[in-house]
């Protein structure tokens, strides 16, 4: 009897196209022909992409993506504009409870990471592993950017495809702050020398929470405890050095640490006005964007702490019951193309750092990315420190509010 050896790539591609047009048996296909058949199944599908819509540049970028995938693959991409990804998780959860199985869902693709991915993975709300079978996944930097395979310390296991990078970054006018702090300890020393001229966003603002997590990473006795959910019995002991640091820092902050700015945009404006010495962001390209838009002077520089700052990857995922699963995979693969990643990294379009390893790209595609940093971009990127497990967020925010609000 003849037996057939089926590659993992072939299995995933065929499994993920179940809701599209009929395809040949997987054993009869090479990876190339399997993908070609998946593209054929995707043609004519409408992909409902649920994605945050709070940025004009992001919305414009998705309009460009929609035009590209329509022209190249015959896929209609609909941007379902959302304000909170948690609402999408609730919707898919409700569909599962109502028995809406494969092909019966209302969400085909979702922009996701962190707690929302952890919840969907835990509750089996995502399509079986498919991301690492995408043709363009081979260009992803899984070594230099390990968070492309690990979402807030939760392994992605091929259930979401990396889309963009983020890393905790500081920026300031070099004329006012010629020697930026390179650690939380140096930040505390600066705050003591310049009282009232440093702050961070009030939690639960995401950037404010990241500031607290960065401080936790720099003060925890054993960082390995942060890769797993916190144990209630040990939470106080693990976080005690963090609260000691914040207790020392807060009296020297803006308004004595009794009030905190609402969000990073408020801090950016206060820094631009000279009220604060530095600002903070999770997008390393934000200062360059602001300089290009002439909202910040060209003397603004950005940096990350010498030993590293928290970073993560944001992804796209496909719910288990997506109606256009084939089309969603084709769109996700396009989002990983050099063409799409270079446009997204371009500060004139978005300025979102790429997930690709440029050294893996053919020379012509590598040339789509700038070779030198622009004014305001990080000149010397620091190591990316992994996010603590997603389950740390809620208890940290609750304890912070209890202590400081």
């Amino acid at each position: 009897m003849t037996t057939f050896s089926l590659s993992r790539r072939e299995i995933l591609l065929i499994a993920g196209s179940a809701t599209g047009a009929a395809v040949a048996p997987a054993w009869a296909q090479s990876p190339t022909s399997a993908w070609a058949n998946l593209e054929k199944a995707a043609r004519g599908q409408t992909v409902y992409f649920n994605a945050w819509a709070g940025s004009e540049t992001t919305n414009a970028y998705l309009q460009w993506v929609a035009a590209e995938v329509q022209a190249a693959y015959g896929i209609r991409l609909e941007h379902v504009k959302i304000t909170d990804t948690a609402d999408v998780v609730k919707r898919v959860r409700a569909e599962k409870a109502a028995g809406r199985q494969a092909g019966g869902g209302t969400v085909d693709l979702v922009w996701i990471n962190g707690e929302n991915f952890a919840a969907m993975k835990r509750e089996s709300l995502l399509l079986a592993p498919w991301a690492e079978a995408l043709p363009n996944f081979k260009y992803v930097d899984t070594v230099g950017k390990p968070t492309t395979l690990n979402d807030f310390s939760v392994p992605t296991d091929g259930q979401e495809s990396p889309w963009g990078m983020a890393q905790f970054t500081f920026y300031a006018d070099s004329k006012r702050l010629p020697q930026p702090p390179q650690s939380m300890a140096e930040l505390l020393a600066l705050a003591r020398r310049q009282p009232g001229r440093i702050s961070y966003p009030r939690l639960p603002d995401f950037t404010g929470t990241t500031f607290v997590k960065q401080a936790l990473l720099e003060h925890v006795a054993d960082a390995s405890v942060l890769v797993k959910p916190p144990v209630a019995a040990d939470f106080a002991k693990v976080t005690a050095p963090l609260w000691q640091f914040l207790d020392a820092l807060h009296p020297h902050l803006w308004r004595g640490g009794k009030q905190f700015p609402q969000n990073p945009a408020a801090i950016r404006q206060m820094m631009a006005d000279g009220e604060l010495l530095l600002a903070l962001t999770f997008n390393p390209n934000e200062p360059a964007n602001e300089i290009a838009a002439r909202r910040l002077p060209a003397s603004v520089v950005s940096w990350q702490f010498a030993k590293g700052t928290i970073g993560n990857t944001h992804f796209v995922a496909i719910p288990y019951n997506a109606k256009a699963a084939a089309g969603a995979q084709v769109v996700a693969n396009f989002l990983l193309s050099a063409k799409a990643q270079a446009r997204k990294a371009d500060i004139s379009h978005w300025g979102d750092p790429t997930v690709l390893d440029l050294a893996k790209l053919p020379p012509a595609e590598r040339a789509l990315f700038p070779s030198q940093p622009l004014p305001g971009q990080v000149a010397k990127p620091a190591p990316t420190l992994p996010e603590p497990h997603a389950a740390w967020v809620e208890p940290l925010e609750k304890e912070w509010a209890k202590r400081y609000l």
Side-chain angles (χ1 to χ4, degrees):
M1 181 177 71
T2 303
T3 60
F4 299 95
S5 176
L6 193 62
S7 75
R8 181 170 181 266
R9 175 183 292 269
E10 292 168 322
I11 294 171
L12 298 183
L13 290 177
I14 300 306
S17 63
T19 59
V23 292
W27 54 261
Q29 305 178 67
S30 67
T32 301
S33 61
W35 182 256
N37 279 328
L38 186 124
E39 288 184 338
K40 183 178 179 181
R43 188 165 292 275
Q45 289 188 339
T46 297
V47 173
Y48 290 97
F49 185 9
N50 287 240
W52 179 71
S55 164
E56 292 182 6
T57 54
T58 301
N59 296 342
Y61 176 79
L62 290 180
Q63 290 175 1
W64 173 81
V65 170
E68 291 289 315
V69 297
Q70 176 68 61
Y73 308 107
I75 295 170
R76 181 184 176 191
L77 184 68
E78 288 285 345
H79 178 191
V80 180
K81 298 179 179 180
I82 62 173
T83 57
D84 190 342
T85 307
D87 295 334
V88 181
V89 178
K90 292 175 184 176
R91 194 188 329 155
V92 178
R93 183 184 292 132
E95 290 176 354
K96 185 175 183 180
R100 297 180 67 167
Q101 297 304 314
T106 59
V107 180
D108 297 307
L109 196 64
V110 57
W111 183 6
I112 195 170
N113 74 349
E115 305 99 307
N116 292 311
F117 169 70
M120 294 193 79
K121 183 183 182 186
R122 182 175 61 250
E123 298 175 34
S124 300
L125 299 178
L126 295 171
L127 191 69
W130 56 274
E132 294 176 34
L134 299 176
N136 285 331
F137 190 87
K138 63 180 178 287
Y139 299 119
V140 173
D141 187 358
T142 58
V143 176
K145 302 180 176 80
T147 55
T148 54
L149 296 175
N150 201 293
D151 189 347
F152 283 64
S153 296
V154 177
T156 61
D157 291 331
Q159 290 185 288
E160 56 181 356
S161 176
W163 189 24
M165 292 297 300
Q167 187 169 357
F168 192 45
T169 302
F170 296 86
Y171 58 102
D173 191 330
S174 59
K175 293 180 179 179
R176 297 193 190 115
L177 188 64
Q179 293 185 316
Q182 293 297 321
S183 66
M184 283 292 176
E186 290 189 16
L187 185 71
L188 173 58
L190 175 62
R192 285 172 170 159
R193 294 194 306 269
Q194 299 270 9
R197 304 200 64 200
I198 292 172
S199 191
Y200 62 93
R202 184 178 67 191
L203 278 62
D205 173 86
F206 178 80
T207 306
T209 300
T210 303
F211 180 93
V212 171
K213 288 189 289 186
Q214 178 73 30
L216 175 63
L217 275 175
E218 293 192 30
H219 290 89
V220 69
D222 178 9
S224 67
V225 302
L226 302 179
V227 302
K228 298 178 181 179
V231 178
D234 297 332
F235 181 80
K237 179 180 178 181
V238 171
T239 59
L242 165 68
W243 309 125
Q244 291 172 6
F245 168 77
L246 293 180
D247 287 347
L249 175 67
H250 282 189
H252 307 287
L253 296 182
W254 176 74
R255 296 189 176 176
K258 302 298 183 182
Q259 290 181 295
F260 294 85
Q262 188 73 22
N263 51 46
I267 290 184
R268 180 181 66 231
Q269 187 59 53
M270 293 164 73
M271 189 274 290
D273 293 340
E275 188 174 0
L276 295 179
L277 278 176
L278 54 83
L280 55 171
T281 179
F282 216 68
N283 181 354
N285 287 332
E286 181 180 332
N289 284 333
E290 294 297 304
I291 291 172
R294 299 187 177 181
R295 289 188 290 265
L296 289 178
S299 53
V300 166
V301 297
S302 58
W303 74 96
Q304 294 145 355
F305 287 163
K307 292 185 178 180
T309 55
I310 286 176
N312 65 42
T313 302
H314 54 92
F315 301 81
V316 293
I318 303 173
Y320 77 99
N321 61 349
K323 186 176 182 180
Q329 289 177 80
V330 174
V331 171
N333 188 61
F334 175 76
L335 295 176
L336 283 179
S337 68
K339 181 179 183 180
Q341 287 281 302
R343 186 179 180 92
K344 187 159 64 69
D346 186 339
I347 64 171
S348 64
H349 294 295
W350 183 343
D352 191 50
T354 183
V355 298
L356 303 182
D357 181 350
L358 302 189
K360 292 180 179 180
L361 295 174
E365 294 188 344
R366 193 183 313 144
L368 297 174
F369 297 83
S371 57
Q372 298 294 329
L374 298 171
Q377 287 183 313
V378 177
K380 186 179 179 181
T384 300
L385 304 180
E387 290 269 8
H389 192 281
W392 281 88
V393 171
E394 184 177 355
L396 281 173
E397 290 177 344
K398 285 184 175 179
E399 184 65 21
W400 186 93
K402 177 182 174 182
R403 289 171 175 266
Y404 304 119
L405 283 187

